[in-house]
Amino acid sequence: MASDITLSNAVRNNLLSLQNTADLLGRTQERLATGKKVNSALDNPTNFFTASSLTARSSDLSSLLDSVSNSVQALKAADTGISGLTKLVESAKATARQALQAPVAYTQKPSVTSNALTGISADALTGTTNKVTGTKAGLTLDKTLNEGSITIATANGAATTITVGAAPGNAATVGDVIDQINSVSGLAARLTDTGKLEITSADGTGVQINYKGGAADLAAGPSETTGTVAVADDAALQALFATDKELTLVAEDGDTSTITLTATSTKEDLLTALNANGFSAEFDTDNQLRVGREDGQSFTVSGTAATDLGITNGTFVAASQGGSFTAPPPGTSQVSGTVAVADDAALQALAGEINLVAEDGDSATYTIDGTSTIADLTSTLTANGFTVSFDSDNQLKIARDDGQSFSVAGTGAAALGIDNGTTVPAYDPADTAGPLEQLGLSSTYSNNLDGKSLTVTTGQGTSDERTVTVSFGVGEDQVNSIAALNQAFGDAGVAVEALVVNGSLKIQSTNAAAGQTFEIEGTALGATGTDAAFTSATGTTKESTPATFGGAGDESRKAFVKDYNDLLKQINVLASDSSYNGINLLAGDDLSVVFNENGSSKLDIKGVSFDAEGLGLNDITESDFRDSQSVNNVIGKLDAALGSLRSQASKFGSNLSIVETRQNFTKELINVLDTGAANLTLADTNEEGANALALQTRQQLSTTALSLSSQADQAVLRLF
C-alpha cells in the first residue's frame, strides 16, 4: 500500500537503509540468542532438513544405548556366575580326589576262577614253555642210556619219537639223543654248563616232552591204558559179569577209584564210578574202555573185572608214557613163583611154611595146609611192607614197595616155585631207570587252556563297555604268561587282571575298578561237568562274582558322597542367582542386543542351562565312590563340566567384547551425527557478535544520516 506521506529521496533512502540494518540486526540477534544460523526451513531448507534427520538418528541411537548398557551388565552377571560355578565344580573335583585317595571300600573284588589246570604257572599258562631243562646235572655226551623212548613235540608241531637203545639207528648215548633232537626241524638241544640237557623250541611255540596228540588219544591226560574188549551197550557189559567182579584204579599218590560190576551194571555206572579222584574213563570209538590220569601220574589197574574188559589184572601205567606192562612198578623189589595155583583146592594140595624177612627185620609168615585158601595166604603175607598176590597166570608174586631187599624161605615157598632161601636184591633205580629219568626230564603237556580263546567284557550295555579276546598258547598272537595276558587286558582298556592261584587261573577286576562286574565267554568256557578250563551252568557265558564292600574305607567314602552332593545343590542355587534385570543367561534365557535404529544390526546371545544337571552332573550314590574307576568316572564328568564352563565363559567373553565395542561405536556415531547436524545449523557466535556490533554502528549511522536528511528537508522552514 503506497504511503500517503511524501518523503524526500534522501530521507527515504536513509529510512530504507535503517530498516534493512534493523532487519539484519534482528536476524543476528536471533542467531546469537539460539546459537543457530538455521532455525527454520526458511533459513536454509537443505541444511535444516539434513540436520533434523541427523539429529533424529542420533536420538534413536541414544535411546538404544540404555538397552545395550543393560545387555553388558547381563553378560557380566553371567560371567560372574560362571566364575562362581567354576570354583564350585573345582571344589567337587577336589572332593572326588579326596575320595580317590581314601582307603579302598571293597573286601572282595569281582572275579572268575578256572578249574584246576595241569602244569599252569605265571610263565606257562598252558603248561608248556619254549624251553625244557632237565634236572639231572653232570651229564656227559658219552653217557650210555637205558632202553626206552622219548617223544618230543612243539606245541603246534608234530611229535617226534627218539628210540633209545643199542640197536643200529637208535640213540645210545646222551650225545646221540642231542644229535637226533637237533635233526628235528624247530627243535634244538644242548648240554648246559652244569651238564643238564636243555631242549628249546626254535620257533618259540613251546616244547612238550612225551607229548601225546591227536583225536585218538584220551582227552583227559597223557597217562592212559585201553582195554581190548568191545562193549557195545549195557547188555554187552552185563553179559561179562554174571558174577560180581571188582575193578580198581590206584594212582601213585594213593588216589583210588573202585567199582563192583554186576549183571545189572550199566556203562554209565562204570564211567561215573571211575571218573573220580583225578581219573578219567571213557569208551572210545571202538567201544573199548579207556582209563587215564589227567595229571599224568602213574597208576595201576587191578581186579578180576579188568581182565574181562581186556586190561590185564595188575597193569601198571607209567607216568605220561601211555604204555602198559604187567610187572610191578619200577621202584619195587620183587620175585615171582613158577607154580600155577588155579584155586583153593590146588593150594591145599601143597604144604609147607613161607617166611618173608626184609633187610630191616620186617617179616610175614604163612603155613599152607589142607584148609588154606588163596585169600588167607595173600592177606596174611601182605603185611609189614610186603605185597603178595597171584597174577593173571595164577603164580605167586611177592614185592616190597620200598625197594628193600628181602628173603623168601620155607618149604611152602619152594612148593610155590620160589627156591627156599631166595634173596631178592634191593631195587636200584640206576639199573632200571628209563631215559627220561636218566636225563632228568619229566613229561610236559598242555592243559585245557591250550589253543582255547577267552573273551572278557566289562561295562556290559553301557557307553563304557570294553571287550577283549585272547587266545591261549605259545604260537604267534597267543598268550602264555600272566604278563602277556595282563598286557592284552591293558591294551584293550579292560579293567581286569589275571593271576595264578592254587593251580587255577583267576581273573579279577583291578584295584581301580573293584566295584565292576564282568563276564567271560569263548572256547575256554564250557558247561559244568566238562573238562573246560572255565565252566558255568550255561556253558556259554560266566558272570564274575559280585564285589563285596565294607570296612573303614567304605564309611570314609560315604562321607565324601554327601559332601559332593551338597556342592551340587550349591551349583543349582548359584546358577539361579546369576540374573540381571530379569535376564539369566545361565538359566536358559536368551538375549538379543539391538545395535541400530531399525533393528537390522543385532547380536542374538543363546542362554545355557548351567545347573548341575545342565553341566552333566547328577547326585551320586555310594557305589560311585567305592573304587577308583567309579571315582575317575565322576572326575571325568567334572572335567567335562569344567570344559563346558570355560568354553561358555569364552563365548560370553567374546559376546561381551562385541557388545562393548558396539556400545562405544554407537556413542561415537551419535557424536558424529550431532556434530554433523551442528555443523549445518549452528551459528558462529564470534561472527554474529561482530555482525551485531557492526549493525549497531550502522544503525546509529543510519539514524544520524536520516536525521541529517531530515534536517535538510527542514531548511525551507528558515524562509518563514
Side-chain angles (χ1 to χ4, degrees):
M1 176 179 177
S3 175
D4 293 334
I5 302 173
T6 301
L7 300 174
S8 65
N9 185 51
V11 172
R12 186 172 294 283
N13 287 335
N14 285 325
L15 176 61
L16 182 59
S17 177
L18 184 60
Q19 288 176 336
N20 289 335
T21 299
D23 183 57
L24 289 173
L25 182 58
R27 187 185 306 170
T28 299
Q29 289 173 341
E30 181 185 16
R31 289 176 177 178
L32 287 171
T34 62
K36 294 182 179 181
K37 64 183 178 182
V38 178
N39 285 292
S40 68
L42 296 176
D43 294 332
N44 187 329
T46 300
N47 285 10
F48 178 80
F49 288 112
T50 300
S52 296
S53 176
L54 294 174
T55 300
R57 185 181 180 203
S58 173
S59 177
D60 291 341
L61 292 176
S62 294
S63 64
L64 289 175
L65 276 178
D66 291 338
S67 175
V68 173
S69 178
N70 283 337
S71 299
V72 169
Q73 296 308 116
L75 284 167
K76 287 183 176 179
D79 184 66
T80 301
I82 286 179
S83 297
L85 289 174
T86 299
K87 292 180 180 179
L88 288 175
V89 173
E90 287 175 342
S91 295
K93 185 176 178 180
T95 299
R97 289 201 177 280
Q98 285 181 290
L100 193 63
Q101 296 171 7
V104 294
Y106 66 86
T107 56
Q108 178 178 304
K109 292 182 280 190
S111 65
V112 293
T113 302
S114 74
N115 302 316
L117 296 169
T118 304
I120 188 172
S121 68
D123 296 323
L125 298 181
T126 63
T128 62
T129 62
N130 67 347
K131 180 185 292 186
V132 171
T133 303
T135 59
K136 184 75 172 179
L139 295 175
T140 60
L141 295 177
D142 59 355
K143 175 178 174 56
T144 301
L145 300 174
N146 292 335
E147 292 185 0
S149 65
I150 304 172
T151 303
I152 307 172
T154 56
N156 298 324
T160 297
T161 298
I162 296 172
T163 302
V164 181
N170 292 348
T173 65
V174 173
D176 294 337
V177 171
I178 291 175
D179 289 342
Q180 291 201 27
I181 293 174
N182 286 330
S183 68
V184 178
S185 177
L187 291 175
R190 70 183 185 97
L191 284 182
T192 67
D193 294 339
T194 59
K196 293 182 179 181
L197 179 63
E198 180 182 272
I199 305 173
T200 305
S201 169
D203 58 8
T205 58
V207 175
Q208 297 170 320
I209 307 298
N210 274 13
Y211 174 85
K212 294 186 68 60
D217 290 300
L218 186 69
S223 55
E224 60 186 68
T225 187
T226 304
T228 59
V229 176
V231 182
D233 50 28
D234 292 342
L237 180 68
Q238 294 162 2
L240 296 174
F241 301 105
T243 59
D244 296 353
K245 295 184 180 181
E246 190 176 78
L247 177 64
T248 301
L249 310 178
V250 181
E252 60 185 273
D253 65 358
D255 284 346
T256 303
S257 290
T258 299
I259 183 174
T260 298
L261 294 167
T262 70
T264 60
S265 296
T266 66
K267 293 175 69 173
E268 183 179 358
D269 293 337
L270 185 153
L271 297 180
T272 300
L274 295 185
N275 278 313
N277 300 318
F279 289 97
S280 297
E282 66 179 8
F283 283 92
D284 62 17
T285 55
D286 296 323
N287 290 318
Q288 296 173 339
L289 179 65
R290 172 174 289 165
V291 292
R293 283 291 298 185
E294 181 179 356
D295 55 11
Q297 288 187 55
S298 65
F299 64 95
T300 58
V301 184
S302 61
T304 52
T307 303
D308 292 331
L309 291 168
I311 301 175
T312 302
N313 183 2
T315 291
F316 174 79
V317 183
S320 308
Q321 295 292 328
S324 64
F325 53 89
T326 58
T332 61
S333 48
Q334 56 193 339
V335 67
S336 296
T338 59
V339 176
V341 181
D343 50 28
D344 291 342
L347 180 64
Q348 293 166 2
L350 305 175
E353 187 178 70
I354 305 173
N355 295 307
L356 308 178
V357 180
E359 62 182 283
D360 65 357
D362 285 345
S363 63
T365 299
Y366 184 81
T367 301
I368 304 173
D369 58 25
T371 62
S372 295
T373 65
I374 292 175
D376 289 340
L377 184 152
T378 55
S379 62
T380 301
L381 293 181
T382 301
N384 300 319
F386 291 98
T387 300
V388 176
S389 63
F390 284 85
D391 64 18
S392 58
D393 295 323
N394 294 318
Q395 295 174 338
L396 180 66
K397 182 171 291 180
I398 307 170
R400 288 284 302 186
D401 291 340
D402 57 10
Q404 288 187 57
S405 67
F406 63 93
S407 63
V408 184
T411 55
L416 290 168
I418 301 175
D419 291 340
N420 184 359
T422 294
T423 299
V424 180
Y427 170 74
D428 185 356
D431 292 339
T432 57
L436 279 180
E437 294 170 294
Q438 290 181 301
L439 294 171
L441 298 175
S442 59
S443 178
T444 62
Y445 47 90
S446 59
N447 58 35
N448 290 324
L449 277 179
D450 194 21
K452 303 296 179 59
S453 66
L454 188 70
T455 298
V456 181
T457 303
T458 59
Q460 300 96 312
T462 70
S463 58
D464 294 326
E465 181 173 316
R466 297 287 187 276
T467 186
V468 62
T469 299
V470 293
S471 175
F472 293 97
V474 287
E476 185 177 358
D477 297 326
Q478 292 183 313
V479 298
N480 195 39
S481 68
I482 288 295
L485 182 56
N486 285 333
Q487 181 68 46
F489 291 154
D491 290 345
V494 177
V496 296
E497 60 187 354
L499 58 158
V500 173
V501 179
N502 297 326
S504 296
L505 177 61
K506 182 176 184 179
I507 300 174
Q508 64 184 16
S509 293
T510 62
N511 190 59
Q516 73 164 5
T517 57
F518 60 93
E519 69 177 21
I520 64 170
E521 56 186 341
T523 58
L525 176 67
T528 303
T530 67
D531 59 359
F534 295 86
T535 55
S536 70
T538 66
T540 57
T541 60
K542 183 180 182 69
E543 296 287 340
S544 63
T545 59
T548 56
F549 298 92
D554 196 29
E555 293 301 318
S556 175
R557 294 193 176 205
K558 287 178 182 177
F560 288 122
V561 170
K562 181 180 184 305
D563 294 343
Y564 180 90
N565 290 335
D566 288 344
L567 284 168
L568 293 194
K569 294 176 183 177
Q570 292 304 313
I571 289 174
N572 292 333
V573 172
L574 192 149
S576 65
D577 289 342
S578 300
S579 63
Y580 176 83
N581 196 30
I583 298 295
N584 190 342
L585 292 172
L586 301 184
D589 294 341
D590 297 334
L591 179 64
S592 183
V593 188
V594 179
F595 295 128
N596 64 5
E597 64 277 13
N598 61 15
S600 61
S601 176
K602 64 179 180 177
L603 176 64
D604 292 323
I605 301 172
K606 188 71 176 174
V608 292
S609 295
F610 269 3
D611 56 2
E613 184 177 357
L615 289 170
L617 306 175
N618 299 299
D619 285 352
I620 62 174
T621 63
E622 294 172 0
S623 63
D624 290 308
F625 271 7
R626 274 176 166 163
D627 63 41
S628 298
Q629 185 179 66
S630 299
V631 176
N632 283 326
N633 287 340
V634 173
I635 291 175
K637 293 179 181 179
L638 291 169
D639 286 336
L642 286 172
S644 298
L645 287 168
R646 289 164 184 161
S647 176
Q648 194 60 45
S650 176
K651 291 179 182 178
F652 282 160
S654 177
N655 292 333
L656 180 60
S657 177
I658 293 172
V659 173
E660 288 181 333
T661 299
R662 288 305 301 259
Q663 183 183 43
N664 293 333
F665 169 78
T666 300
K667 289 179 181 179
E668 292 176 1
L669 182 58
I670 289 172
N671 185 57
V672 170
L673 294 172
D674 288 343
T675 300
N679 289 339
L680 292 173
T681 60
L682 292 182
D684 186 341
T685 54
N686 291 325
E687 179 183 355
E688 298 303 330
N691 288 339
L693 182 61
L695 289 172
Q696 288 173 351
T697 301
R698 183 189 297 178
Q699 187 179 45
Q700 291 174 1
L701 291 174
S702 295
T703 301
T704 301
L706 181 57
S707 177
L708 291 175
S709 297
S710 178
Q711 288 176 6
D713 287 342
Q714 291 176 359
V716 73
L717 295 177
R718 294 191 188 123
L719 297 177
F720 299 101

